[in-house]
Amino acid sequence: MAFGTLQDVETRGKTVLVRVDLNSPMDPSSEMILDDKRFREHIPTIQALDDAKVVVLTHQSRPGKKDFTTLKSHAELLERLIRRPVIYVDDIFGKGARDAVQSIRNGEVLMLENLRFNAEENLTMKPEEAKKTHLVRRLAEMGDLFVNDAFGTAHRSQPTIVGLPTAMKTVAGLLMEREIKMLSKVFSGAPHPITFILGGTKVDDSIAVAEHVLQNGIADRILAIGVVGNIFLAAVGVDIGTPSRQLIESLGYCGEIQKAERILASYADRVVIPSSVAVRMDGERREYPIDRIPQDAPILDLGSSSIHDMVSLIQSQGTIVFNGPAGVFEDPDFAIGTYELIRAASTVEFSVVGGGHTAAVIEKMGLESAYSHLSTGGGACIEFLTGKKLPAVAALESSWQLFGKGSPD
């Protein structure tokens, strides 16, 4: 890799700033954290720094949202999970924070306040601009080394993500390293045939991924499901019914139909679309072939024949990259497609999941261990799969050029 990792640096006795992504679902009334998955993913990196003075940098939500709050609950949960005291300071870089950082000893963990309480962290900026912010300058003064483990925010050009690596020696944490290694394998080294299952409602991201992996010969097939599947059905002239058309319009995705048409013009034999769908009529699940979809019923899942065909295809693949559900999986009547495709994908040799809803369903099904990799960053993962260099990765590489490669710690 073109950037440094924890194996490349001495951390004993150092004050190490560790950027993690503990942004989690919360109950705003009680400030209780409802899902500790992101915490658990970062534990190995924090444990690997048990000979250092660890200063945890993270955020929760963003200004204007109900769960934009302090990190007191986060510090308490992290403390329980790592079974070591976590000192919480309700300050980011003021005197309270500086004094607290100076007073911690080797093996101790301190968590500073929600980084997004500082307005600068909510800005998008280039690394050199970010380096000049008060936030980056003050934080850099507090530490000897910066470890970026926040893959969930790797697609953001925010000061701590791109500015701190410009201001001080920076390496990737264990989670960041694993994410990049596993996602990179999709592009080089994954067993063929490779199929990308693209679903859910983030159609523009999925279309961008489809375009990239087909044009560059990365994917042997694209399997379009969910709203992404409806876009491709519309692109081949299928009348998907008024409710499904209106949903595409309300999401602002009408232009994606033309992009899907262009993809199909070049790669029709490599794009698999549903042959049947399930709709809600009179409060019940009903199934129809795609040439007889009712005008007034919303498409909420794949039909049984589609599920059967797609499961058979998935089971014959060497690699599956799964991003997005097949329908309204929260409703048991319309969860069948999502569940069956997830079960099938768990049997292939190499399987990657792009975080978000799909990963949540996999965990609910107890199939995490059957998958090669469940990404912790939905947005970061999908951007990586479009072939773009993530700002965090570019910053890690630049920092290693500036401060690493044999220079003293």
Side-chain angles (χ1 to χ4, degrees):
M1 288 184 180
F3 51 80
T5 66
L6 286 177
Q7 293 179 329
D8 300 313
V9 290
E10 175 60 61
T11 60
R12 184 181 300 277
K14 299 281 169 67
T15 299
V16 182
L17 309 181
V18 186
R19 180 65 162 97
V20 295
D21 184 358
L22 302 183
N23 184 25
S24 302
M26 292 187 77
D27 176 354
S29 59
S30 66
E31 300 216 332
M32 179 183 287
I33 294 164
L34 304 174
D35 183 358
D36 66 0
K37 175 176 169 55
R38 286 193 164 180
F39 287 74
R40 288 183 277 112
E41 295 285 355
H42 288 296
I43 288 173
T45 295
I46 293 171
Q47 289 176 332
L49 295 166
D50 61 3
D51 60 354
K53 304 164 189 174
V54 177
V55 180
V56 175
L57 310 177
T58 189
H59 70 279
Q60 171 63 36
S61 195
R62 62 185 67 183
K65 293 205 166 186
K66 289 180 180 178
D67 57 350
F68 184 54
T69 185
T70 73
L71 298 182
K72 186 173 185 293
S73 298
H74 298 67
E76 291 169 354
L77 177 54
L78 184 62
E79 181 172 286
R80 290 198 297 275
L81 291 171
I82 65 173
R83 298 179 182 177
R84 286 160 59 192
V86 175
I87 304 157
Y88 162 66
V89 183
D90 61 350
D91 187 16
I92 300 173
F93 58 73
K95 187 175 187 304
R98 292 197 307 272
D99 290 348
V101 170
Q102 286 172 4
S103 66
I104 59 171
R105 295 173 294 190
N106 280 355
E108 292 187 331
V109 179
L110 180 147
M111 183 182 292
L112 297 179
E113 188 52 281
N114 189 341
L115 290 170
R116 290 185 179 172
F117 280 8
N118 181 276
E120 290 176 324
E121 180 67 357
N122 298 291
L123 300 174
T124 296
M125 51 180 63
K126 294 177 181 176
E128 283 300 327
E129 294 174 311
K131 181 184 176 182
K132 297 171 186 173
T133 61
H134 291 290
L135 178 62
V136 166
R137 286 191 289 135
R138 296 293 177 259
L139 287 173
E141 289 168 359
M142 295 188 212
D144 303 307
L145 174 72
F146 178 46
V147 175
N148 189 355
D149 205 36
F151 183 77
T153 51
H155 57 314
R156 308 278 186 207
S157 294
Q158 293 171 329
T160 59
I161 303 299
V162 300
L164 275 173
T166 310
M168 62 193 300
K169 178 180 272 193
T170 302
V171 297
L174 298 176
L175 174 62
M176 179 74 79
E177 183 185 0
R178 187 176 86 244
E179 288 272 14
I180 294 165
K181 181 180 178 182
M182 296 301 280
L183 294 176
S184 296
K185 186 177 176 181
V186 173
F187 296 147
S188 176
H192 283 262
I194 298 174
T195 285
F196 277 61
I197 303 175
L198 301 173
T201 57
K202 291 185 178 177
V203 174
D204 51 347
D205 290 337
S206 292
I207 294 289
V209 171
E211 208 160 26
H212 175 69
V213 297
L214 288 170
Q215 282 178 355
N216 291 279
I218 295 160
D220 296 293
R221 281 187 190 81
I222 296 295
L223 203 156
I225 58 176
V227 180
V228 181
N230 291 348
I231 289 279
F232 276 96
L233 286 172
V236 296
V238 170
D239 186 346
I240 58 175
T242 303
S244 298
R245 272 199 312 274
Q246 288 176 340
L247 176 63
I248 290 169
E249 288 168 12
S250 69
L251 293 170
Y253 287 145
C254 291
E256 300 302 318
I257 296 172
Q258 285 75 48
K259 292 180 185 176
E261 288 172 354
R262 288 202 303 271
I263 290 171
L264 290 165
S266 300
Y267 309 104
D269 59 330
R270 291 165 63 187
V271 179
V272 179
I273 61 176
S275 58
S276 64
V277 297
V279 303
R280 181 182 279 123
M281 282 191 74
D282 303 323
E284 294 181 352
R285 177 187 174 102
R286 297 199 185 167
E287 298 191 3
Y288 295 88
I290 58 172
D291 60 350
R292 287 194 283 132
I293 299 170
Q295 268 301 308
D296 56 351
I299 298 171
L300 300 179
D301 195 11
L302 297 167
S304 299
S305 61
S306 274
I307 294 169
H308 177 270
D309 294 345
M310 290 183 179
V311 163
S312 296
L313 170 64
I314 289 166
Q315 289 172 335
S316 69
Q317 301 302 290
T319 296
I320 292 291
V321 180
F322 204 139
N323 194 79
V328 185
F329 65 92
E330 299 91 344
D331 184 333
D333 286 342
F334 299 97
I336 303 167
T338 299
Y339 277 65
E340 290 303 312
L341 267 54
I342 283 173
R343 202 169 277 116
S346 72
T347 65
V348 305
E349 184 181 346
F350 184 64
S351 49
V352 171
V353 178
H357 292 311
T358 318
V361 176
I362 288 167
E363 289 192 355
K364 184 179 175 184
M365 295 172 72
L367 289 174
E368 308 102 293
S369 61
Y371 279 82
S372 307
H373 183 61
L374 269 63
S375 181
T376 58
C381 175
I382 204 84
E383 194 159 310
F384 191 99
L385 293 173
T386 62
K388 296 175 185 172
K389 177 69 69 76
L390 298 179
V393 177
L396 282 165
E397 292 174 352
S398 296
S399 186
W400 200 238
Q401 288 288 333
L402 282 168
F403 302 106
K405 296 193 171 181
S407 63
D409 290 330

